[in-house]
Amino acid sequence: EEIKNELKDKKLEVFGTNEERKNRLKKYHGVGDAPAPSSKPLLKKAGSNKSNVVDKIKEMEEKRMRDASKMEEEKIAKKEKAAINEARGEGRIDIDFQELMEESRIDPRTAYPHIPLNYAKIYVTVRKRPLFPKEKVQGQID
């Protein structure tokens, strides 16, 4: 209990066995050789990981360059889509939203390949109304 109270007074952790608590107090006071909690050596040879670190730095730089070129390509593609939308008179459409809509579209040929249409019992036909010019000016997507 004395050890626990002293640990609490020093605002140190109280958990563990009595031996661990004593070592924690010794370490706090700088007395004796308190064993390190981990069995791994703290210092490593200076040259052993040098090439590995250099290789990792090179990999990081290459990845950064690839990511930068990919982002540049995406910017160019967005500008091209914006120009196409502008030519169609749909200049206020958000390009990111338009891309998300295009990605989420389902291809009807691959959506339900296990049911041929000539065996279907029910046919549902839906006709969507076209967008009015006012809606296109507002930037709504068809």
Side-chain angles (χ1 to χ4, degrees):
E1 287 298 317
E2 291 177 17
I3 296 172
K4 278 187 180 181
N5 291 334
E6 191 174 348
L7 285 169
K8 288 178 183 177
D9 292 341
K10 308 288 185 202
K11 299 196 188 308
L12 295 174
E13 298 160 338
V14 184
F15 65 88
T17 63
N18 279 337
E19 188 65 33
E20 291 171 340
R21 293 176 188 148
K22 287 178 185 177
N23 286 336
R24 211 172 292 129
L25 279 174
K26 286 179 183 178
K27 189 175 181 181
Y28 177 80
H29 291 294
V31 178
D33 293 333
S38 65
S39 60
K40 296 180 181 178
L42 297 177
L43 298 175
K44 295 183 178 181
K45 295 179 183 177
S48 65
N49 289 333
K50 186 176 182 179
S51 62
N52 190 19
V53 171
V54 172
D55 291 340
K56 285 186 178 183
I57 290 173
K58 286 181 182 178
E59 288 176 14
M60 289 170 58
E61 288 174 353
E62 289 172 1
K63 184 181 182 304
R64 194 174 297 132
M65 293 298 290
R66 284 193 307 267
D67 291 346
S69 64
K70 183 179 174 183
M71 290 296 291
E72 192 63 34
E73 290 172 3
E74 289 176 359
K75 283 183 183 179
I76 292 170
K78 284 183 182 182
K79 287 182 182 179
E80 290 173 355
K81 284 187 178 186
I84 291 171
N85 288 344
E86 196 68 40
R88 288 183 184 162
E90 304 168 348
R92 295 189 63 204
I93 294 177
D94 184 22
I95 303 300
D96 293 326
F97 183 72
Q98 184 180 11
E99 286 179 353
L100 286 173
M101 294 298 292
E102 290 171 0
E103 288 175 12
S104 66
R105 281 206 177 112
I106 298 173
D107 184 12
R109 296 176 304 234
T110 59
Y112 303 103
H114 59 283
I115 302 173
L117 288 179
N118 54 353
Y119 292 113
K121 294 179 180 178
I122 299 174
Y123 292 100
V124 177
T125 305
V126 178
R127 183 175 181 269
K128 191 191 96 38
R129 70 167 179 82
L131 287 178
F132 295 116
K134 179 181 177 183
E135 294 170 328
K136 288 182 180 180
V137 169
Q138 290 174 349
Q140 294 185 14
I141 297 177
D142 189 7

